Amino acid sequence: MVDAELTVAVSGQVATVVIRNPGRRNAMTLAMWRQLPVLLDHLEAEPAVRALVLTGADGTFCAGADLGDLDEQLSTGDAGIAVAAEERLAAFAKPTVAAVQGACVGGGCQLAVACDLRIAADDARFGVPPARLGLVYPAPTTRRLARLVGPAAAKHLLFTSELIDAERAQRIGLVDEVLPGDRLAARIDQLTATIVERSQLSVVAAKEIIDGRADDARVDWWYGQVRASGEAREGITAFHERRPPRFTWSPPPTG
């Protein structure tokens, strides 16, 4: 049995990726950083998957990068694989939700911030520790954090390496919702069920535009999809008929 790994389960139209590293509070090893983009490529290409949840096993999200790998990372330049995994997660074409319990620190915070939404249990703790370790947080990661919480809050997290609780994380915009731990799973199920029921044309286009990955030509393409797909006609007809819409659009195959 592999002690440290990422596991995937698909339920309906939602894929859940679980971070597992028993004994190290689910810290990410080099192998796990390398594994994540491969999993994401597979799940993005799977038409049945409309949303992805990232979480940690046994009540802990992720305590960061496994420091047992630090010498190898620094000597081989493999520290860049964490950024590559983060960037792949951020670019995932479908909605992503981080379900956070317990420690969400360093690399764990890096992964959570790369998700579209973050829902936290009230026992969650967040921190960015490079200043305690003599490291420089990756530039793409730093900029993504600053865009999410603002420059001042990002500087506080980076300058102090202090842990903050879930309430404060919500206050600065690091998480979207906080609720008791025993309600987290149900809320994630409810949220993802809502997302996958909506028009995927609307959802995928919104993510791409908000993330700045759609130029003018791409936006025109999206408008063309609205005209050609019949999604808007179905949505408006269902609204007038007071019934759930039956949306059928799915992203065209890639590659």
Side-chain angles (χ1 to χ4, degrees):
M1 178 179 179
V2 178
D3 288 334
E5 62 179 350
L6 302 175
T7 61
V8 180
V10 178
S11 177
Q13 296 174 304
V14 180
T16 300
V17 176
V18 181
I19 305 168
R20 298 182 185 277
N21 189 354
R24 292 187 178 270
R25 296 193 301 161
N26 297 333
M28 292 283 290
T29 64
L30 289 174
M32 294 164 75
W33 286 116
R34 292 190 183 102
Q35 184 187 4
L36 183 57
V38 176
L39 293 179
L40 295 175
D41 287 347
H42 172 74
L43 293 171
E44 187 173 275
E46 177 52 63
V49 172
R50 290 190 167 192
L52 181 142
V53 175
L54 180 66
T55 193
D58 303 323
T60 297
F61 186 76
C62 173
D66 190 330
L67 294 181
D69 291 329
L70 182 60
D71 288 342
E72 181 181 349
Q73 291 183 44
L74 295 179
S75 64
T76 63
D78 275 344
I81 64 172
V83 176
E86 172 196 359
E87 292 295 307
R88 182 64 187 90
L89 178 59
F92 193 74
K94 303 167 186 182
T96 56
V97 182
V100 182
Q101 285 183 286
C104 182
V105 180
C109 196
Q110 185 176 354
L111 291 172
V113 169
C115 291
D116 297 312
L117 302 172
R118 285 150 296 281
I119 311 299
D122 53 12
D123 71 344
R125 296 295 181 268
F126 300 83
V128 187
R132 280 197 289 113
L133 302 171
L135 300 172
V136 174
Y137 212 39
T141 309
T142 301
R143 294 185 185 111
R144 181 169 286 113
L145 177 65
R147 287 195 300 269
L148 182 63
V149 303
K155 288 174 182 177
H156 184 274
L157 289 168
L158 286 160
F159 292 177
T160 67
S161 296
E162 291 178 348
L163 293 179
I164 62 172
D165 62 19
E167 180 182 356
R168 181 170 179 181
Q170 184 178 31
R171 194 161 62 246
I172 66 174
L174 185 57
V175 300
D176 301 290
E177 297 180 31
V178 176
L179 61 165
D182 60 359
R183 292 173 49 199
L184 181 63
R187 175 56 181 144
I188 294 296
D189 288 346
Q190 178 190 47
L191 176 63
T192 53
T194 298
I195 291 170
V196 302
E197 287 174 357
R198 302 305 187 215
S199 168
Q200 295 307 290
L201 173 67
S202 301
V203 170
V204 176
K207 173 167 180 170
E208 196 173 285
I209 293 168
I210 290 168
D211 290 349
R213 292 184 285 110
D215 59 15
D216 290 345
R218 181 66 171 178
V219 172
D220 286 343
W221 183 86
W222 281 117
Y223 292 151
Q225 289 290 295
V226 173
R227 293 189 294 271
S229 66
E231 291 283 276
R233 187 176 300 279
E234 167 60 18
I236 293 168
T237 300
F239 175 79
H240 287 306
E241 294 179 355
R242 298 184 180 182
R243 62 169 174 81
R246 294 183 289 271
F247 294 122
T248 58
W249 183 91
S250 59
T254 59

